[in-house]
């Protein structure tokens, strides 16, 4: 029952974030009293690229030392599921906040504890990479539980304003070397 309620709350939260998908960055003048005057309302503008989970990168497994591809030696298994984003357009850039829901399950060789997930966010415009960063994201599987849900947020994905309608944002697990671009 609790899991169903948690999923509903998370789904509503993700939909609320999606509702503010596109907006233009606005500013407000400072009044003499030090408080900001009413800012110009946000305008829906530009194309906010969809978030795509690439095939083969939406799940991740860790194994006990020395084991690989042995289902009895799985320590943790993680998966990415639902995504959403919010974009803010300025004159020279499109800033995308990426939000991804995921889940971690302890395997037969695992239990409660911390797991670090290598999550890469990348943006492309056709064949050109505009942004790529790998984040080592910590998730805690609580005592008394074999699984937990998490929400990964990357708030500073910046791509050029002229990236065009072909811009795409990809999210997935990346077991490669830690590097940023």
């Amino acid at each position: 029952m609790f899991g169903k309620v948690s999923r509903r709350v998370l789904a509503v939260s993700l939909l609320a974030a999606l509702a503010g998908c596109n907006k233009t960055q606005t500013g407000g003048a400072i009044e003499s009293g030090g408080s900001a005057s009413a800012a110009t309302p946000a305008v829906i503008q530009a194309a906010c690229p969809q978030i795509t989970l690439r095939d083969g990168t939406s799940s991740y497994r860790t194994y006990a030392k020395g084991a690989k591809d042995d289902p009895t030696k799985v320590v943790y298994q993680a998966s990415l599921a639902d995504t959403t984003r919010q974009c803010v357009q300025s004159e020279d850039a499109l800033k995308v906040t990426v939000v991804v829901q995921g889940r971690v399950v302890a395997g037969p060789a695992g239990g409660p504890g911390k797991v670090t997930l290598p999550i890469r966010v990348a943006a492309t415009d056709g064949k050109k990479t505009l942004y790529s960063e790998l984040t080592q994201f910590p998730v805690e599987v609580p005592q008394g539980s074999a699984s937990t849900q998490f929400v990964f947020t990357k708030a500073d994905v910046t791509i050029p304003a002229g990236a065009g309608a072909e811009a795409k944002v990809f999210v997935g697990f990346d077991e490669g070397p830690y590097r940023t671009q």
Side-chain angles (χ1 to χ4, degrees):
M1 168 107 177
F2 179 72
K4 288 181 180 179
V5 171
S6 296
R7 280 181 262 181
R8 288 182 185 149
V9 169
L10 186 56
V12 168
S13 298
L14 289 173
L15 289 174
L18 184 57
C21 188
N22 294 335
K23 62 183 172 182
T24 301
Q25 192 171 20
T26 60
I30 302 296
E31 295 177 355
S32 60
S35 62
S37 65
T40 308
V43 176
I44 295 177
Q45 180 180 343
C48 191
Q50 291 288 330
I51 307 299
T52 302
L53 296 173
R54 279 202 171 138
D55 289 340
T57 67
S58 63
S59 65
Y60 175 74
R61 284 186 183 162
T62 59
Y63 292 91
K65 228 173 201 168
K68 183 164 169 88
D69 298 329
D70 181 352
T72 65
K73 303 290 184 181
V74 172
V75 178
Y76 294 105
Q77 179 169 307
S79 61
L80 300 174
D82 296 322
T83 65
T84 190
R85 79 276 189 232
Q86 177 181 12
C87 294
V88 177
Q89 178 75 53
S90 67
E91 284 185 34
D92 58 343
L94 180 66
K95 289 191 179 187
V96 183
T97 299
V98 175
V99 181
V100 183
Q101 175 195 7
R103 182 180 175 117
V104 175
V105 178
K114 181 180 167 188
V115 61
T116 302
L117 304 174
I119 301 176
R120 181 170 299 277
V121 176
T124 65
D125 186 3
K127 295 187 182 210
K128 182 180 175 187
T129 300
L130 304 172
Y131 176 93
S132 179
E133 185 168 347
L134 180 64
T135 302
Q136 299 296 328
F137 186 71
V139 176
E140 184 79 26
V141 176
Q143 287 288 346
S145 177
S147 68
T148 191
Q149 293 184 356
F150 65 90
V151 175
F152 170 78
T153 302
K154 187 69 174 164
D156 58 354
V157 177
T158 304
I159 58 178
E166 291 185 30
K168 293 183 181 178
V169 177
F170 297 96
V171 179
F173 294 113
D174 185 348
E175 298 180 56
Y178 181 80
R179 66 183 177 102
T180 59
Q181 196 171 10

